[in-house]
Amino acid sequence: MKKLGLSRASALTTIGLTLLLASCDVPRSTLNPAGPAAEKLANLEWLMIFIFLCVTFFMWVLIMWAMKRTRRGNFSEHAPIDIGGGQGWVTFGGFLFPFIVLTFLFVVGLRAMSSFPMGDNEKTEEPKPDILVIGHQWWWEAHYLQGGVDQHFTTANEFHIPVGKPVDIALESTDVIHSFWVPKLHGKVDLVPGQVNYIRIQADKPGNYGGTCAEYCGAQHAHMELLVVAQTPEDYQAWYQHQLQPGAEPTDPEAVHGKEVFLAGPCILCHTVRGTSAGGTVGPDLTHLASRQYIAANAFQNNKANLEGWVTHAQTMKPDAEMPNLSFFTGTDLRSLVAYLQQLQ
Protein backbone atom coordinates (compact mmCIF):
# COMPACT_ATOMS: atom_id res chain seq x y z
CA MET A 1 0.00 0.00 0.00
CA LYS A 2 1.33 3.43 -0.88
CA LYS A 3 1.78 5.80 2.02
CA LEU A 4 -0.24 8.53 0.35
CA GLY A 5 -3.38 6.55 -0.30
CA LEU A 6 -5.17 3.26 -0.68
CA SER A 7 -4.04 1.46 -3.81
CA ARG A 8 -6.39 -0.51 -6.02
CA ALA A 9 -4.68 -3.74 -4.98
CA SER A 10 -5.19 -3.02 -1.28
CA ALA A 11 -8.81 -2.11 -1.95
CA LEU A 12 -9.36 -5.45 -3.66
CA THR A 13 -7.67 -7.20 -0.75
CA THR A 14 -10.02 -5.43 1.63
CA ILE A 15 -12.99 -6.55 -0.46
CA GLY A 16 -11.85 -10.16 -0.43
CA LEU A 17 -11.39 -10.21 3.32
CA THR A 18 -14.63 -8.46 4.17
CA LEU A 19 -16.70 -10.62 1.87
CA LEU A 20 -15.64 -13.54 4.06
CA LEU A 21 -17.28 -11.66 6.92
CA ALA A 22 -20.56 -11.16 5.12
CA SER A 23 -22.83 -8.47 6.41
CA CYS A 24 -25.54 -9.20 8.93
CA ASP A 25 -23.94 -12.62 9.45
CA VAL A 26 -26.59 -13.69 11.94
CA PRO A 27 -28.94 -16.68 11.71
CA ARG A 28 -31.98 -16.01 9.53
CA SER A 29 -33.86 -19.31 9.65
CA THR A 30 -37.60 -18.89 9.24
CA LEU A 31 -38.01 -22.09 11.26
CA ASN A 32 -36.46 -20.47 14.34
CA PRO A 33 -38.72 -17.42 14.86
CA ALA A 34 -38.07 -14.58 17.26
CA GLY A 35 -41.41 -12.77 17.02
CA PRO A 36 -45.15 -13.54 17.02
CA ALA A 37 -45.67 -13.01 13.27
CA ALA A 38 -42.65 -15.14 12.36
CA GLU A 39 -43.86 -17.83 14.78
CA LYS A 40 -47.16 -18.13 12.92
CA LEU A 41 -45.32 -18.44 9.63
CA ALA A 42 -42.96 -21.00 11.14
CA ASN A 43 -45.92 -23.08 12.34
CA LEU A 44 -47.29 -23.00 8.79
CA GLU A 45 -43.91 -24.10 7.43
CA TRP A 46 -43.66 -26.98 9.90
CA LEU A 47 -47.17 -28.06 8.92
CA MET A 48 -46.21 -28.05 5.24
CA ILE A 49 -43.04 -30.01 5.97
CA PHE A 50 -45.06 -32.59 7.94
CA ILE A 51 -47.58 -32.97 5.10
CA PHE A 52 -44.74 -33.24 2.58
CA LEU A 53 -43.09 -36.01 4.61
CA CYS A 54 -46.40 -37.88 4.95
CA VAL A 55 -47.08 -37.68 1.22
CA THR A 56 -43.50 -38.73 0.47
CA PHE A 57 -43.80 -41.72 2.80
CA PHE A 58 -47.11 -42.72 1.21
CA MET A 59 -45.61 -42.48 -2.28
CA TRP A 60 -42.63 -44.62 -1.30
CA VAL A 61 -45.00 -47.24 0.13
CA LEU A 62 -46.83 -47.34 -3.20
CA ILE A 63 -43.54 -47.59 -5.10
CA MET A 64 -42.30 -50.45 -2.92
CA TRP A 65 -45.66 -52.22 -3.28
CA ALA A 66 -45.45 -51.87 -7.08
CA MET A 67 -41.86 -53.15 -7.10
CA LYS A 68 -42.83 -56.12 -4.94
CA ARG A 69 -45.66 -57.07 -7.30
CA THR A 70 -43.28 -56.74 -10.24
CA ARG A 71 -40.78 -59.15 -8.67
CA ARG A 72 -43.58 -61.67 -8.21
CA GLY A 73 -44.26 -61.52 -11.93
CA ASN A 74 -47.70 -59.97 -11.61
CA PHE A 75 -46.71 -57.24 -14.09
CA SER A 76 -44.86 -59.50 -16.53
CA GLU A 77 -47.50 -58.82 -19.17
CA HIS A 78 -49.35 -55.58 -19.73
CA ALA A 79 -53.11 -55.67 -19.91
CA PRO A 80 -54.66 -54.34 -23.12
CA ILE A 81 -54.73 -50.56 -23.22
CA ASP A 82 -58.48 -50.43 -23.77
CA ILE A 83 -59.43 -52.76 -20.93
CA GLY A 84 -60.25 -49.87 -18.59
CA GLY A 85 -59.84 -49.73 -14.83
CA GLY A 86 -57.61 -47.61 -12.64
CA GLN A 87 -59.87 -44.59 -12.90
CA GLY A 88 -60.31 -44.57 -9.13
CA TRP A 89 -56.57 -44.23 -8.55
CA VAL A 90 -56.37 -41.40 -11.09
CA THR A 91 -59.36 -39.58 -9.60
CA PHE A 92 -58.13 -39.86 -6.02
CA GLY A 93 -54.39 -39.50 -6.52
CA GLY A 94 -54.47 -37.06 -9.40
CA PHE A 95 -57.31 -34.79 -8.29
CA LEU A 96 -59.06 -35.36 -4.96
CA PHE A 97 -56.02 -35.81 -2.73
CA PRO A 98 -54.02 -32.84 -4.13
CA PHE A 99 -57.19 -30.72 -4.08
CA ILE A 100 -57.89 -31.51 -0.42
CA VAL A 101 -54.29 -30.91 0.68
CA LEU A 102 -53.82 -27.68 -1.28
CA THR A 103 -57.21 -26.31 -0.24
CA PHE A 104 -56.38 -27.04 3.41
CA LEU A 105 -53.04 -25.25 3.13
CA PHE A 106 -54.67 -22.35 1.28
CA VAL A 107 -57.24 -21.84 4.04
CA VAL A 108 -54.63 -22.13 6.78
CA GLY A 109 -52.44 -19.64 4.91
CA LEU A 110 -55.31 -17.16 4.57
CA ARG A 111 -56.00 -17.42 8.29
CA ALA A 112 -52.35 -16.74 9.04
CA MET A 113 -52.35 -13.70 6.75
CA SER A 114 -55.52 -12.29 8.31
CA SER A 115 -53.87 -12.39 11.73
CA PHE A 116 -51.22 -9.83 10.69
CA PRO A 117 -52.73 -6.41 11.44
CA MET A 118 -50.95 -3.17 10.66
CA GLY A 119 -51.66 -1.90 14.15
CA ASP A 120 -54.21 0.15 16.06
CA ASN A 121 -54.76 2.36 13.01
CA GLU A 122 -55.41 -0.51 10.61
CA LYS A 123 -59.01 0.57 9.96
CA THR A 124 -58.11 4.18 9.08
CA GLU A 125 -57.23 5.34 5.61
CA GLU A 126 -53.83 6.70 6.65
CA PRO A 127 -52.13 4.63 9.35
CA LYS A 128 -49.52 6.34 11.48
CA PRO A 129 -46.36 4.23 11.34
CA ASP A 130 -43.54 4.32 13.87
CA ILE A 131 -40.94 4.12 11.09
CA LEU A 132 -41.03 5.02 7.42
CA VAL A 133 -38.62 2.86 5.40
CA ILE A 134 -37.72 3.98 1.89
CA GLY A 135 -35.97 1.60 -0.48
CA HIS A 136 -33.20 2.86 -2.76
CA GLN A 137 -30.83 1.18 -5.16
CA TRP A 138 -29.26 -0.24 -3.03
CA TRP A 139 -29.78 0.85 0.56
CA TRP A 140 -32.50 1.45 3.15
CA GLU A 141 -33.51 4.86 4.47
CA ALA A 142 -35.37 4.96 7.79
CA HIS A 143 -37.36 7.90 9.20
CA TYR A 144 -38.33 7.48 12.85
CA LEU A 145 -41.68 9.24 13.29
CA GLN A 146 -42.60 8.67 16.93
CA GLY A 147 -43.76 11.66 18.96
CA GLY A 148 -43.63 15.23 17.72
CA VAL A 149 -41.53 16.58 14.89
CA ASP A 150 -38.73 17.41 17.32
CA GLN A 151 -38.52 13.68 18.11
CA HIS A 152 -38.05 12.61 14.49
CA PHE A 153 -34.72 11.63 12.95
CA THR A 154 -33.32 9.78 9.94
CA THR A 155 -30.90 6.87 9.81
CA ALA A 156 -30.02 4.13 7.34
CA ASN A 157 -29.71 0.35 6.97
CA GLU A 158 -29.66 -0.47 10.69
CA PHE A 159 -33.01 -0.27 12.49
CA HIS A 160 -33.44 -0.39 16.26
CA ILE A 161 -36.67 -1.54 17.90
CA PRO A 162 -37.73 -2.17 21.51
CA VAL A 163 -38.19 -5.78 22.62
CA GLY A 164 -41.73 -6.96 23.24
CA LYS A 165 -43.41 -4.03 21.49
CA PRO A 166 -45.02 -4.12 18.04
CA VAL A 167 -43.46 -1.64 15.62
CA ASP A 168 -45.49 -0.47 12.63
CA ILE A 169 -43.45 0.28 9.51
CA ALA A 170 -44.54 2.03 6.32
CA LEU A 171 -42.71 0.93 3.19
CA GLU A 172 -42.01 3.05 0.11
CA SER A 173 -39.62 2.95 -2.84
CA THR A 174 -38.00 5.75 -4.81
CA ASP A 175 -37.01 3.71 -7.85
CA VAL A 176 -37.88 0.02 -8.43
CA ILE A 177 -39.69 -2.70 -6.49
CA HIS A 178 -37.83 -3.86 -3.41
CA SER A 179 -38.96 -6.31 -0.72
CA PHE A 180 -38.51 -5.93 3.04
CA TRP A 181 -37.77 -9.28 4.70
CA VAL A 182 -36.45 -10.07 8.17
CA PRO A 183 -37.01 -13.87 8.29
CA LYS A 184 -36.91 -14.29 12.07
CA LEU A 185 -39.44 -11.47 12.62
CA HIS A 186 -41.93 -11.57 9.73
CA GLY A 187 -42.58 -12.47 6.12
CA LYS A 188 -41.92 -10.43 2.98
CA VAL A 189 -43.64 -7.18 2.05
CA ASP A 190 -42.87 -5.33 -1.18
CA LEU A 191 -41.87 -1.69 -1.53
CA VAL A 192 -43.64 -0.48 -4.67
CA PRO A 193 -43.01 2.93 -6.29
CA GLY A 194 -46.03 5.18 -5.87
CA GLN A 195 -47.64 2.93 -3.25
CA VAL A 196 -47.32 2.66 0.53
CA ASN A 197 -47.37 -0.81 2.10
CA TYR A 198 -47.22 -1.66 5.78
CA ILE A 199 -45.75 -4.30 8.04
CA ARG A 200 -45.71 -4.85 11.80
CA ILE A 201 -42.65 -6.48 13.34
CA GLN A 202 -41.97 -7.47 16.91
CA ALA A 203 -39.00 -9.14 18.57
CA ASP A 204 -39.46 -11.29 21.66
CA LYS A 205 -35.87 -11.05 22.85
CA PRO A 206 -32.86 -8.74 22.38
CA GLY A 207 -30.47 -9.48 19.55
CA ASN A 208 -29.46 -8.78 15.97
CA TYR A 209 -31.83 -9.94 13.23
CA GLY A 210 -30.53 -9.97 9.68
CA GLY A 211 -32.73 -9.15 6.75
CA THR A 212 -32.48 -8.50 3.04
CA CYS A 213 -34.23 -7.26 -0.05
CA ALA A 214 -36.18 -10.27 -1.29
CA GLU A 215 -37.08 -8.85 -4.72
CA TYR A 216 -34.47 -8.57 -7.48
CA CYS A 217 -33.85 -4.84 -7.83
CA GLY A 218 -30.71 -4.51 -9.91
CA ALA A 219 -27.00 -5.19 -10.00
CA GLN A 220 -26.38 -4.93 -6.23
CA HIS A 221 -29.59 -6.63 -5.10
CA ALA A 222 -27.57 -9.28 -3.26
CA HIS A 223 -25.80 -6.56 -1.26
CA MET A 224 -28.93 -4.70 -0.17
CA GLU A 225 -28.93 -6.01 3.37
CA LEU A 226 -30.63 -4.69 6.46
CA LEU A 227 -30.15 -5.22 10.17
CA VAL A 228 -32.77 -5.00 12.91
CA VAL A 229 -31.35 -4.54 16.41
CA ALA A 230 -33.84 -5.42 19.16
CA GLN A 231 -33.03 -3.79 22.49
CA THR A 232 -34.53 -3.71 25.96
CA PRO A 233 -36.90 -0.73 26.38
CA GLU A 234 -34.30 1.07 28.47
CA ASP A 235 -31.49 0.56 25.95
CA TYR A 236 -33.80 1.49 23.09
CA GLN A 237 -34.80 4.77 24.72
CA ALA A 238 -31.15 5.60 25.35
CA TRP A 239 -30.33 4.84 21.70
CA TYR A 240 -33.34 6.87 20.51
CA GLN A 241 -32.40 9.93 22.55
CA HIS A 242 -28.82 9.71 21.33
CA GLN A 243 -29.97 9.56 17.71
CA LEU A 244 -31.79 12.88 18.20
CA GLN A 245 -28.49 14.60 18.92
CA PRO A 246 -26.44 16.34 16.20
CA GLY A 247 -23.19 14.88 14.96
CA ALA A 248 -20.40 14.74 17.52
CA GLU A 249 -17.90 17.57 17.42
CA PRO A 250 -14.37 16.25 16.92
CA THR A 251 -11.75 17.01 19.58
CA ASP A 252 -8.77 15.12 18.20
CA PRO A 253 -6.71 17.33 15.84
CA GLU A 254 -6.79 14.69 13.11
CA ALA A 255 -10.58 14.40 13.29
CA VAL A 256 -10.91 18.21 13.38
CA HIS A 257 -9.02 18.37 10.11
CA GLY A 258 -11.18 15.52 8.82
CA LYS A 259 -14.31 17.58 9.44
CA GLU A 260 -12.80 20.39 7.38
CA VAL A 261 -12.04 17.94 4.59
CA PHE A 262 -15.57 16.55 4.77
CA LEU A 263 -17.27 19.94 4.60
CA ALA A 264 -14.97 21.25 1.86
CA GLY A 265 -15.38 18.20 -0.36
CA PRO A 266 -18.23 16.72 -2.42
CA CYS A 267 -19.51 14.62 0.53
CA ILE A 268 -21.96 17.36 1.59
CA LEU A 269 -23.72 17.17 -1.79
CA CYS A 270 -25.08 13.71 -0.97
CA HIS A 271 -24.89 13.22 2.81
CA THR A 272 -26.24 14.89 5.93
CA VAL A 273 -24.48 15.35 9.25
CA ARG A 274 -26.86 17.17 11.54
CA GLY A 275 -25.26 20.14 13.24
CA THR A 276 -23.10 20.95 10.22
CA SER A 277 -23.67 22.54 6.82
CA ALA A 278 -23.85 19.07 5.22
CA GLY A 279 -27.46 18.57 4.19
CA GLY A 280 -27.44 16.24 1.20
CA THR A 281 -30.28 13.74 0.82
CA VAL A 282 -29.01 11.56 -2.03
CA GLY A 283 -27.13 9.15 0.23
CA PRO A 284 -27.53 7.88 3.79
CA ASP A 285 -27.56 10.24 6.78
CA LEU A 286 -24.09 10.04 8.39
CA THR A 287 -24.87 11.86 11.66
CA HIS A 288 -24.24 8.73 13.72
CA LEU A 289 -22.42 6.61 11.15
CA ALA A 290 -19.86 5.23 13.62
CA SER A 291 -22.60 3.73 15.81
CA ARG A 292 -23.64 1.38 13.00
CA GLN A 293 -22.14 -2.09 12.71
CA TYR A 294 -21.86 -2.08 8.92
CA ILE A 295 -21.57 0.27 5.95
CA ALA A 296 -22.71 0.19 2.31
CA ALA A 297 -26.15 -1.24 3.15
CA ASN A 298 -24.55 -3.75 5.51
CA ALA A 299 -22.26 -5.12 2.82
CA PHE A 300 -19.06 -4.49 4.81
CA GLN A 301 -18.14 -4.22 8.46
CA ASN A 302 -17.78 -0.69 9.75
CA ASN A 303 -14.06 -0.35 10.36
CA LYS A 304 -11.19 1.91 9.30
CA ALA A 305 -9.99 -0.22 6.37
CA ASN A 306 -13.46 -0.58 4.89
CA LEU A 307 -14.23 3.12 5.33
CA GLU A 308 -11.03 4.05 3.50
CA GLY A 309 -11.83 1.58 0.75
CA TRP A 310 -15.42 2.76 0.48
CA VAL A 311 -14.47 6.45 0.23
CA THR A 312 -11.82 5.92 -2.43
CA HIS A 313 -12.99 2.80 -4.32
CA ALA A 314 -16.73 2.47 -3.77
CA GLN A 315 -17.33 1.38 -7.36
CA THR A 316 -14.85 -1.47 -6.92
CA MET A 317 -16.42 -2.63 -3.68
CA LYS A 318 -20.03 -2.19 -4.82
CA PRO A 319 -20.26 -1.61 -8.59
CA ASP A 320 -23.08 0.60 -9.90
CA ALA A 321 -23.85 2.05 -6.47
CA GLU A 322 -24.52 5.80 -6.41
CA MET A 323 -21.40 6.34 -4.28
CA PRO A 324 -18.61 7.45 -6.67
CA ASN A 325 -14.90 6.75 -6.38
CA LEU A 326 -13.32 9.66 -4.51
CA SER A 327 -9.76 8.60 -5.19
CA PHE A 328 -8.50 12.18 -4.88
CA PHE A 329 -8.73 11.74 -1.10
CA THR A 330 -5.23 10.52 -0.22
CA GLY A 331 -2.68 10.56 2.53
CA THR A 332 -3.36 12.88 5.47
CA ASP A 333 -6.70 14.06 4.11
CA LEU A 334 -7.99 10.51 3.75
CA ARG A 335 -6.85 9.44 7.20
CA SER A 336 -8.30 12.59 8.74
CA LEU A 337 -11.61 12.18 6.92
CA VAL A 338 -11.97 8.61 8.13
CA ALA A 339 -11.00 9.68 11.67
CA TYR A 340 -13.83 12.22 11.57
CA LEU A 341 -16.33 9.64 10.30
CA GLN A 342 -15.29 7.17 12.98
CA GLN A 343 -16.03 9.61 15.79
CA LEU A 344 -19.59 10.25 14.57
CA GLN A 345 -21.04 8.03 17.29
Side-chain angles (χ1 to χ4, degrees), residues 38-96:
E39 183 176 1
K40 293 176 182 178
L41 293 175
N43 291 337
L44 182 58
E45 286 186 74
W46 282 117
L47 175 62
M48 294 177 66
I49 291 174
F50 175 75
I51 292 176
F52 166 78
L53 292 175
C54 290
V55 172
T56 302
F57 175 78
F58 177 67
M59 293 303 300
W60 274 108
V61 169
L62 289 180
I63 292 173
M64 297 303 294
W65 172 73
M67 293 176 61
K68 186 176 181 180
R69 291 193 60 185
T70 302
R71 286 197 300 267
R72 290 179 177 177
N74 294 344
F75 293 164
S76 58
E77 295 182 3
H78 288 285
I81 192 172
D82 58 351
I83 195 174
Q87 289 86 348
W89 282 97
V90 174
T91 302
F92 176 77
F95 175 72
L96 288 180

Side-chain angles (χ1 to χ4, degrees), residues 101-123:
V101 171
L102 295 177
T103 300
F104 171 73
L105 291 176
F106 178 71
V107 173
V108 173
L110 286 180
R111 292 186 61 183
M113 291 176 60
S114 65
S115 65
F116 298 147
M118 159 59 193
D120 297 334
N121 303 291
E122 60 180 332
K123 295 183 180 180

Side-chain angles (χ1 to χ4, degrees), residues 145-167:
L145 307 176
Q146 302 171 32
V149 176
D150 61 336
Q151 296 295 303
H152 296 179
F153 64 86
T154 301
T155 184
N157 302 316
E158 181 177 308
F159 313 140
H160 289 234
I161 63 173
V163 169
K165 179 182 177 182
V167 177

Side-chain angles (χ1 to χ4, degrees), residues 218-281:
Q220 290 299 321
H221 161 69
H223 294 148
M224 187 174 174
E225 305 280 342
L226 63 97
L227 180 66
V228 175
V229 180
Q231 300 173 292
T232 63
E234 296 77 16
D235 290 343
Y236 173 76
Q237 282 302 319
W239 174 85
Y240 197 99
Q241 293 302 316
H242 181 70
Q243 292 295 310
L244 294 172
Q245 305 303 313
E249 282 295 325
T251 56
D252 179 78
E254 186 176 46
V256 171
H257 177 62
K259 180 179 179 180
E260 296 173 355
V261 173
F262 179 83
L263 295 178
C267 307
I268 62 175
L269 299 177
C270 296
H271 298 286
T272 291
V273 175
R274 282 178 274 123
T276 72
S277 59
T281 58

